[in-house]
Amino acid sequence: MDKLLIRGGRALHGTVSISGAKNAALPELCAALLTADTVTLKNVPRLQDVVTMEKLIRNMGVAFTRSDDGIVTLNAAALDKPEAPYELVKTMRASVLALGPLLARFGKATVSLPGGCAIGSRPVDQHIKGLQAMGAIIDVAHGYMNAHLPKGWTRLKGARITTDMVTVTGTENFLMAACLADGVTILENAAQEPEIPDLAEMLIAMGAKISGHGTSRITITGVEKLHGCTHSVVADRIEAGTFLCAVAATGGDVILENARADHLDALLDKLREAGALVTQSPHGLQVTSSGKLKAQSFRTTEYPGFPTDMQAQMMALNVVAAGSSIATETIFENRFMHVNELVRLGANIQIDGRAAMVTGNAKLSGAHVMATDLRASASLVIAGLVAEGETTIERIYHLDRGYDRMEEKLRGIGADIERVK
Ligand code: UD1
């Protein structure tokens, strides 16, 4: 298994190109299932979750090509197996995004239940409830969701769907399913993460009728057919946020090409309060930091609040900043697994339920640590970049799931980091 070896203590300088967003690319690959025409996606990031989605989609009988410069073409004209098997779903929960499009276009789908997840129980009850409201019959048996339409129906029916909580992939599943449904669907309590308007724009380019995307109420008027399109995946705000925290913590001056300030308001407020200078330039975001920061308390919430996917990285920054801070996690019930590993590097953190109390000013020293999930891995990389001496991070397959060549990009701005086989 690959490991990362980091010799910390270097400031970061230069330019990094931010890739397309993992969390936009995954639903957008599934959106291609909605049409028999060819769909071209540009700016698709090179990361393991995209490879898993490719396997899942190819397994259904979809023609799939991918070039080195991030262009993917898909053609689902010959799709003959509307199924997502356990072997693939268990490695990536986002596989559940196949359910809505398959059901909408083929009137049936068999998708494995995702099962447990390191950061929380993450059920899919809301996905089921919403699609049932559109008329789907969904039987859960032998670990699978078997979905089909009632006898005599050829399409799902538009409905008003109000989820119990804001769910990102749930909203995306309903959005895709509703495009081919009969009549109007209204999604109340819809997620507003920037990946949702990006998906909606792609669906509109395919002929869908959608309004309100980017707000908590989305209205979709179903059409009979969608056609092909070319769409460019929006920049990854979490990758950008991770580099912002890294540069803020180590000190330095870096331009993040393609990054968008308007997708990162909550994080940028915290970084500026902490003492980093972040400005938007025509090429992206520029961050300048002396590495001497003031700790910032924060609370994760749905977009536009502070993203749960940035909690671990911001905590790594707070560990070395001056003062005490509290990180409160409200989205997932078990998302503090990086804490014990940060403590191994010299952090001073106490967990109390959903809050982690950080006493700052820690002098981190390199150690062996283990990555436990995707964003936890990123927080360990940030801590390793600051720590004195050598840090070895094991199990970086978690990092590879969601970051496009992170160590290459970090080396390009002066980090001493290498991958060891
Ligand atoms: C998406 C993101 C993930 C991010 C998360 C929250 C993708 C591929 N993944 O995950 O990176 O951390 O949003 O911003 O876009 N819930 C239920 N029942 C459901 C659905 C959700 O109880 O049917 C709960 C979850 O357990 C969680 C909360 O709702 O506590 C929010 O989850 P959700 O927004 O659905 O997360 P994902 O879409 O899986």
Side-chain angles (χ1 to χ4, degrees), residues 53-100:
M53 190 58 91
E54 174 181 342
K55 277 190 201 155
L56 186 86
I57 285 175
R58 275 184 192 276
N59 186 59
M60 295 176 192
V62 175
F64 194 110
T65 68
R66 171 212 269 274
S67 72
D68 283 344
D69 53 357
I71 298 179
V72 168
T73 64
L74 306 102
N75 186 293
L79 192 156
D80 58 356
K81 230 170 111 193
E83 290 171 22
Y86 177 65
E87 292 66 44
L88 294 171
V89 178
K90 74 175 181 199
T91 64
M92 186 182 67
R93 284 183 45 84
S95 311
V96 75
L97 286 164
L99 182 60

Side-chain angles (χ1 to χ4, degrees), residues 333-353:
E333 66 271 21
N334 188 28
R335 208 171 193 182
F336 283 144
M337 283 190 305
H338 44 286
V339 165
N340 285 334
E341 301 302 306
L342 289 173
V343 167
R344 283 184 54 72
L345 292 167
N348 189 343
I349 310 171
Q350 250 106 43
I351 300 175
D352 184 5

